[in-house]
Amino acid sequence: MERRMFLSMLAAAAAVRETGFHPFTSTAYAAEGKPIKIGFLPGVVDPFYQVMQLGVESAAKQLGIEVVTQIPQTWGVEVQTPILDSMVARGDLNYIITAPTDKDQMIGPLKTAADAGIKIITVDTFLGDGDYATGPVTFPVSYIGSDNMEGGRISARGLAKAIGGKGLVYINSTNPNVSSVEGREKGFKEVMEKEFPDIKVLGPDYNLDDMNKAQQQTAAVLERERDLAGVFGTNVFSAQGAGNAVVNAGLGGHVQVVAYDATKAAIELMNTGVVTLVLAQKPFDMGYMGVQFAQADAAGVTSLPRRVETGFAIIDKANVKDPAVARFIYQVP
Amino acid sequence: MTATPIESRMQRPIILFSRIWPWIFLGLLIAFFVAVVPLASNGSVNFLTIRNSQNILVAITPVLLLGLGQTFVIIGRGIDLSVGWVMSLASVLSALAIRTVFNAGLPLSLSIVIGLLAALGGAGLFGFMNGVIIAKLKVPAFIVTLGSSFIVRGVALLMSENTTVIGLPPGIRDYGNEALVYYIRGEGGGLYLLQRPDVGGDLVRRMDAILPYPVVLTAIVVAIAVFLLHKTQFGRHTYAIGGSPEAAIRTGIPVDRHVISLYILSASTAGIAGFLSTLRFAAGSAVIGDPLLLSSIAAVTIGGVSLFGGAGTVIGTVIGALIIAVLTTGLVMLNVEAFWQFIVIGIVVIVAVLIDQSRDLIISRDRAGQSS
């Protein structure tokens, strides 16, 4: 039964395409029981968004929804906006699931899309302050993601536990004024200040996405602070460079390194002792729920939460074999 | 006509100063950090330690390797903006090659050699492509290499399937991070060759790794580059083409062929940089070289290579790379806030280029005077 409905939906979609008819209001379209069509526009090509794409595709397949995916080659408003504009110009998309590359600068382009009748769901990153119910930006349907501040907090607690609640820790980050890593730094510092008075935070230094520089900076900090106990790398690249400096100084296992994001590379670094802890987000959940939310909204569901926190998992050597934890590793086939 | 005696009397010291300026600056910089770092830490931290010197040498390897080929290209009045991405491609290619042949049963050392060949081959091919378009089709170098950097980027991302290439043989990290000599200071210490001594606790803190393998390999490449630029006909032709391409053609230098080989050379040193990064980080990355392009051109410029071609040395580039790395490490050791680090590094680069340009201005004024 379900399959036959799916097939008839496909046929209807095909018929629409052949006649060149493009609906302008998604809700009317959906109300007639026809399938919606979703655009997926993540932030940049990387394993995190690839896993998110798997979530999107998996949900779309189960719900019989067609998805058009466009992935920017580099992170940035000036790259994402033209792709967004071209998705809007297609005229056949009812929903766009996107990770805005800037919480302020992307408001305009996405509002334009919304005004053209396309409903917006943001995943991973948000617009404004992320509160679409009472915040400054209210036009998107929902935000589904894990807050970087919270990720920083959880990283801080994980690192604090690993170093016994006291000592010096150092932050190595990518670029200043990038909302994602900035949030991670803030959350990390906040928890260390409030919950761990015996831990002092140094840095951040910025490696400008240069792994070699991350290694050099961490090596210099290790020279300066002989009793450094831990390093927080705000992304895998930073943690990899920092961890390399730690291992080369012969301090692998003595200085604990936290990596943000559970790419397979991060897990391999943990297995070889370069990093100690890996923080996993749940990009699959974000993508899957994004599509579900679109479907539900199109069907007339009115009580969708405006903000969904997907949460985190901390992976270390002790739990990485546990299937309940290992499934959070960003597995891209 | 020749320049008037007054002009040449002014020129000579300026040209001499611009030539030795990088050395002076590096010396001053090191002296500054040697004096200030202990002050900032109440005497507990020193700048001039064996470990710190080795850290700095490791840090310059990728920047320097990119800069070495670039030195030849810029002296030859060109520029290669694709080196960062070529390095990334080489990193991916070498990682894929090493993983494939090692899993097929080849021994680790042989797999690594094949990895180097893959890196050089892939990089060299793009260098050849750059060179042919620039030399034969007479398209400006910065347009060609900017364009090809997009192609290289795409190829690297495709080949790596847009993720870090992992699953390399476990022993590979040693080749990129271990050193020729280990020295443990003080009691219970000593000198160890080729093998990291298996010690723990306090001894680890007193152990220095001297001459890590990436530094050794880079030093060999530097030596070859010095020989090539300063002792061979290839080098003389490079200066001649940079000084005046028209004159070089008239004197019978095969300019097109030479320009092509310059870009192959530039891509090759970038290829070695990518190969080394694969060994150092035990993974191939399609984005690892991108942020290094500017640093490498800065190193070349600070080192006194004229952006207008015809002048510069390999050792100048080495000094230029060292200046940037000493600054980076020194500022972190002084615990200078990150934003001030940017400002200081930016000022140094601009001052260096200003001095370089003052020399070029004087030389060009002299040339203008001659032709009038």
Side-chain angles (χ1 to χ4, degrees):
Chain A
M1 165 69 193
E2 226 178 64
R3 169 169 293 182
R4 212 185 309 151
M5 209 171 88
F6 173 43
L7 285 177
S8 65
M9 282 171 171
L10 273 185
V16 165
R17 208 175 302 134
E18 272 158 26
T19 55
F21 169 73
H22 296 307
F24 283 100
T25 52
S26 54
T27 38
Y29 192 41
E32 288 162 34
K34 287 172 187 165
I36 56 170
K37 196 164 175 181
I38 296 177
F40 176 51
L41 175 59
V44 70
V45 279
D46 77 2
F48 175 86
Y49 288 117
Q50 279 178 300
V51 172
M52 189 185 287
Q53 190 182 352
L54 292 180
V56 166
E57 283 164 0
S58 164
K61 198 174 164 205
Q62 283 163 19
L63 297 169
I65 294 171
E66 194 182 338
V67 176
V68 178
T69 301
Q70 286 290 334
I71 308 175
Q73 285 297 310
T74 47
W75 178 273
V77 172
E78 66 289 347
V79 186
Q80 195 177 34
T81 306
I83 302 178
L84 172 69
D85 291 346
S86 70
M87 286 178 115
V88 174
R90 293 169 58 103
D92 62 343
L93 299 177
N94 314 102
Y95 288 81
I96 287 181
I97 299 174
T98 185
T101 49
D102 189 288
K103 62 185 181 347
D104 302 312
Q105 289 172 286
M106 285 309 291
I107 294 175
L110 283 166
K111 184 75 174 67
T112 309
D115 291 343
I118 299 172
K119 292 199 169 186
I120 307 297
I121 294 171
T122 67
V123 282
D124 179 40
T125 53
F126 48 71
L127 295 174
D129 62 0
D131 180 357
Y132 298 152
T134 58
V137 179
T138 54
F139 68 83
V141 176
S142 292
Y143 160 68
I144 306 165
S146 40
D147 183 31
N148 282 297
M149 283 272 281
E150 186 59 20
R153 293 187 195 108
I154 290 177
S155 301
R157 292 191 192 107
L159 184 58
K161 195 177 151 202
I163 64 172
K166 60 175 194 299
L168 275 177
V169 298
Y170 165 63
I171 304 177
N172 194 279
S173 190
T174 55
N175 284 286
N177 207 24
V178 172
S179 63
S180 55
V181 292
E182 199 177 284
R184 296 168 193 178
E185 293 159 20
K186 272 190 195 153
F188 185 87
K189 282 184 179 165
E190 178 198 293
V191 157
M192 288 306 195
E193 257 168 45
K194 280 190 192 156
E195 299 174 19
F196 302 96
D198 295 333
I199 293 178
K200 193 184 162 217
V201 181
L202 305 167
D205 285 314
Y206 296 103
N207 57 51
L208 307 180
D209 285 313
D210 178 356
M211 204 190 287
N212 179 57
K213 191 172 276 175
Q215 178 175 345
Q216 183 186 7
Q217 289 167 333
T218 308
V221 170
L222 284 169
E223 244 339 69
R224 187 180 85 210
E225 316 286 352
R226 302 289 155 77
D227 42 3
L228 190 74
V231 184
F232 175 40
T234 60
N235 71 353
V236 175
F237 242 54
S238 309
Q240 187 164 8
N244 231 30
V246 167
V247 174
N248 286 359
L251 298 172
H254 299 283
V255 177
Q256 314 299 330
V257 181
V258 184
Y260 202 107
D261 272 334
T263 59
K264 283 195 282 185
I267 299 302
E268 186 177 275
L269 290 169
M270 191 182 74
N271 289 331
T272 53
V274 176
V275 307
T276 325
L277 295 173
V278 174
L279 183 79
Q281 303 185 70
K282 299 175 183 172
F284 185 91
D285 292 19
M286 298 174 198
Y288 193 95
M289 288 167 78
V291 174
Q292 280 186 319
F293 271 45
Q295 172 83 342
D297 183 70
V301 173
T302 55
S303 53
L304 286 172
R306 307 300 298 271
R307 183 184 174 96
V308 180
E309 287 280 347
T310 47
F312 298 89
I314 284 260
I315 306 179
D316 60 21
K317 264 193 159 164
N319 68 13
V320 68
K321 294 274 186 283
D322 180 354
V325 173
R327 68 199 173 96
F328 294 123
I329 299 169
Y330 305 170
Q331 292 285 357
V332 185
Chain B
M1 268 213 274
T2 53
T4 63
I6 298 163
E7 269 179 325
S8 54
R9 225 179 298 154
M10 273 171 58
Q11 271 177 27
R12 227 170 268 146
I14 288 174
I15 290 174
L16 182 71
F17 178 71
S18 82
R19 202 164 282 162
I20 56 171
W21 134 261
W23 294 86
I24 297 170
F25 192 86
L26 179 62
L28 288 174
L29 207 58
I30 292 174
F32 171 77
F33 285 123
V34 166
V36 175
V37 167
L39 287 181
S41 62
N42 296 322
S44 65
V45 180
N46 285 311
F47 185 73
L48 210 59
T49 60
I50 296 177
R51 178 176 290 190
N52 219 20
S53 68
Q54 299 306 307
N55 284 343
I56 289 172
L57 288 181
V58 170
I60 69 166
T61 55
V63 176
L64 179 55
L65 283 167
L66 295 189
L68 282 177
Q70 192 78 266
T71 301
F72 282 79
V73 170
I74 294 181
I75 289 176
R77 218 182 250 202
I79 189 144
D80 188 347
L81 299 178
S82 68
V83 286
W85 289 102
V86 168
M87 171 182 167
S88 302
L89 175 71
S91 166
V92 169
L93 284 175
S94 56
L96 289 173
I98 290 169
R99 188 173 71 187
T100 309
V101 298
F102 182 80
N103 288 347
L106 260 65
L108 182 57
S109 52
L110 195 58
S111 306
I112 287 173
V113 172
I114 290 174
L116 175 61
L117 294 178
L120 283 174
L125 193 69
F126 273 97
F128 177 73
M129 196 184 84
N130 280 336
V132 167
I133 299 173
I134 292 163
K136 298 290 184 193
L137 303 179
K138 311 293 177 203
V139 185
F142 80 95
I143 296 287
V144 174
T145 54
L146 197 60
S148 67
S149 74
F150 277 85
I151 302 172
V152 179
R153 180 189 320 207
V155 172
L157 285 166
L158 278 174
M159 298 210 64
S160 66
E161 289 166 343
N162 182 28
T163 180
T164 309
V165 181
I166 56 169
L168 269 52
I172 195 171
R173 218 190 149 276
D174 294 350
Y175 285 84
N177 292 282
E178 296 304 320
L180 279 184
V181 182
Y182 290 89
Y183 178 63
I184 301 178
R185 281 161 281 142
E187 202 181 324
L191 209 58
Y192 302 82
L193 289 179
L194 294 171
Q195 189 70 44
R196 181 183 281 263
D198 190 17
V199 293
D202 180 47
L203 287 180
V204 171
R205 302 269 178 179
R206 286 192 271 128
M207 181 168 70
D208 294 317
I210 302 170
L211 295 179
Y213 297 136
V215 174
V216 176
L217 180 60
T218 307
I220 294 170
V221 180
V222 169
I224 294 171
V226 169
F227 178 76
L228 201 59
L229 187 60
H230 303 301
K231 301 284 178 208
T232 65
Q233 194 189 44
F234 184 88
R236 285 191 294 278
H237 284 179
T238 306
Y239 282 111
I241 292 170
S244 166
E246 298 79 17
I249 293 172
R250 280 202 297 275
T251 52
I253 296 172
V255 173
D256 286 0
R257 215 175 63 200
H258 194 87
V259 167
I260 294 171
S261 53
L262 287 180
Y263 286 91
I264 295 176
L265 181 70
S266 169
S268 301
T269 60
I272 296 170
F275 164 74
L276 272 182
S277 78
T278 295
L279 297 189
R280 281 177 61 199
F281 298 105
S285 164
V287 292
I288 193 156
D290 169 37
L292 290 168
L293 170 68
L294 274 182
S295 306
S296 73
I297 291 181
V300 172
T301 317
I302 294 174
V305 175
S306 165
L307 285 174
F308 302 98
T313 61
V314 169
I315 295 302
T317 300
V318 177
I319 302 288
L322 273 173
I323 285 174
I324 297 175
V326 165
L327 257 181
T328 305
T329 289
L331 293 173
V332 173
M333 289 189 81
L334 282 179
N335 204 4
V336 173
E337 199 197 335
F339 303 136
W340 283 104
Q341 295 183 26
F342 292 144
I343 293 170
V344 173
I345 291 172
I347 290 173
V348 169
V349 171
I350 290 174
V351 168
V353 177
L354 276 179
I355 291 189
D356 179 58
Q357 284 213 335
S358 71
R359 176 194 59 190
D360 285 317
L361 272 176
I362 286 174
I363 292 171
S364 64
R365 198 189 298 154
D366 181 34
R367 277 190 194 142
Q370 282 175 25
S371 59
S372 65

